[in-house]
Amino acid sequence: MIYIKTDEEIELQRQSSLLVGTTLAEVAKHIRPGVKTIELDRIAEEFIRDHGAEPGFKGYGGFPASLCISVNDAVVHGIPDETELKDGDIVSVDCGTIMNGFYGDSAYTFPVGNVSEEVLLLLQRTKESLYLGIEQAVAGKRVRDIGYAIQTYVEQFGYGVVRDLVGHGVGRNMHEEPEVPNYGRRGTGIKLKKNMCIAIEPMINLGVKEVYQDKDGWTIRTADGKPSAHFEHDVAIREGRVDILSSFEEIEKVLNKK
Ligand code: MG
Ligand code: MG
């Protein structure tokens, strides 16, 4: 079932979604060559708990950590561990919080040190595709209009749009209906209604669209081993305007200082 929230519920959801952004900004301060991904996870968990919330991912479906940290060819669902980030890596950090009974869910992909121009462009264009998808997330549009906007934008660069994982409704549960694919035919899918909340999260590969699950049972990797980027926002559906519940503003303040 698809939940339609009250305006009050959306404001509660917004607090949770915004906390994800400030948590990711805190993590961003520590992203550099040599840092272990498990250290980033510890920083995030402490930050979330210090702000009166719970990590949304820890224990979710048995996931062992507060962040999904996915490096280079890992698309999503990477498990933080003793691996050190290296100069030239890219790292997707996906974070969830539970606050006021609502889940926040947002992700950002960071460059580590000096990253090749080709891969920096992948990051930039994947983020742009997220905002193009969000432009379609208004009442009266159809859910596939979002995926159509994302897919047509990134495929012109020869990138692969991951099909096996999709965005989703978000609220009192982290994953609610409807599914929000990052591809599709415009004008199809369910009609978006005022006060639905969805997470839009393009996962865009530098190479082929195919992915596989790592032996660890979680990490999703690109089939050709090329890097993948992932950006995610929570959005409330409104009439005639876009309403993004999460924010990259604090993250980008940190990045601009680096
Ligand atoms: Mg997420
Ligand atoms: Mg999500």
Side-chain angles (χ1 to χ4, degrees):
M1 93 167 254
I2 297 174
Y3 293 92
I4 304 294
K5 293 187 178 67
T6 64
D7 287 338
E8 292 72 24
E9 287 174 320
I10 288 176
E11 292 318 307
L12 293 174
Q13 163 101 52
R14 190 188 307 276
Q15 288 176 27
S16 190
S17 297
L18 287 175
L19 178 59
V20 178
T22 51
T23 304
L24 289 175
E26 186 62 28
V27 170
K29 291 178 192 167
H30 300 271
I31 290 179
R32 60 174 183 277
V35 73
K36 292 176 178 170
T37 58
I38 192 86
E39 293 173 44
L40 301 176
D41 188 69
R42 188 182 46 72
I43 289 161
E45 178 167 357
E46 195 174 299
F47 190 87
I48 291 166
R49 294 192 190 280
D50 283 351
H51 288 79
E54 296 282 321
F57 294 173
K58 203 163 196 177
Y60 187 91
F63 191 76
S66 297
L67 298 176
C68 293
I69 301 186
S70 309
V71 182
N72 296 336
D73 68 308
V75 181
V76 287
H77 301 170
I79 302 172
D81 61 12
E82 298 293 321
T83 308
E84 291 182 6
L85 295 178
K86 304 184 306 295
D87 188 55
D89 283 349
I90 57 168
V91 59
S92 154
V93 184
D94 193 350
C95 179
T97 52
I98 315 169
M99 194 183 197
N100 313 314
F102 289 92
Y103 278 88
D105 182 13
S106 178
Y108 200 96
T109 304
F110 299 90
V112 183
N114 295 302
V115 171
S116 74
E117 184 65 24
E118 183 185 40
V119 175
L120 283 177
L121 277 172
L122 173 72
L123 300 188
Q124 182 194 315
R125 290 163 173 167
T126 301
K127 191 171 73 172
E128 286 165 0
S129 79
L130 168 61
Y131 286 102
L132 290 171
I134 288 171
E135 276 179 27
Q136 301 297 315
V138 292
K141 291 276 190 177
R142 301 226 170 227
V143 74
R144 296 271 173 160
D145 291 332
I146 297 169
Y148 176 82
I150 292 169
Q151 182 182 16
T152 48
Y153 182 65
V154 299
E155 282 187 348
Q156 68 177 307
F157 306 112
Y159 300 155
V161 178
V162 173
R163 305 292 203 276
D164 302 42
L165 298 115
V166 295
H168 49 90
V170 64
R172 292 194 185 276
N173 301 293
M174 186 155 59
H175 296 120
E176 298 181 350
E177 288 182 58
E179 289 195 342
V180 183
N182 298 302
Y183 58 92
R185 234 161 17 99
R186 122 210 278 180
T188 64
I190 62 124
K191 198 175 257 188
L192 299 171
K193 293 206 180 102
K194 184 171 176 253
N195 287 21
M196 283 172 51
C197 291
I198 57 174
I200 303 177
E201 50 179 316
M203 289 155 257
I204 308 299
N205 300 344
L206 185 62
V208 298
K209 63 181 185 296
E210 284 77 19
V211 296
Y212 69 95
Q213 190 173 55
D214 192 284
K215 288 191 296 291
D216 66 14
W218 281 101
T219 313
I220 303 296
R221 295 185 184 279
T222 59
D224 60 7
K226 290 187 178 174
S228 180
H230 177 218
F231 290 83
E232 177 178 24
H233 268 318
D234 300 331
V235 174
I237 304 298
R238 306 294 199 173
E239 276 166 350
R241 69 185 171 99
V242 160
D243 186 5
I244 306 176
L245 301 176
S246 45
S247 173
F248 294 156
E249 203 179 318
E250 296 302 318
I251 299 168
E252 289 178 348
K253 272 188 206 160
V254 172
L255 295 182
N256 290 337
K257 266 189 227 151
K258 275 192 172 178

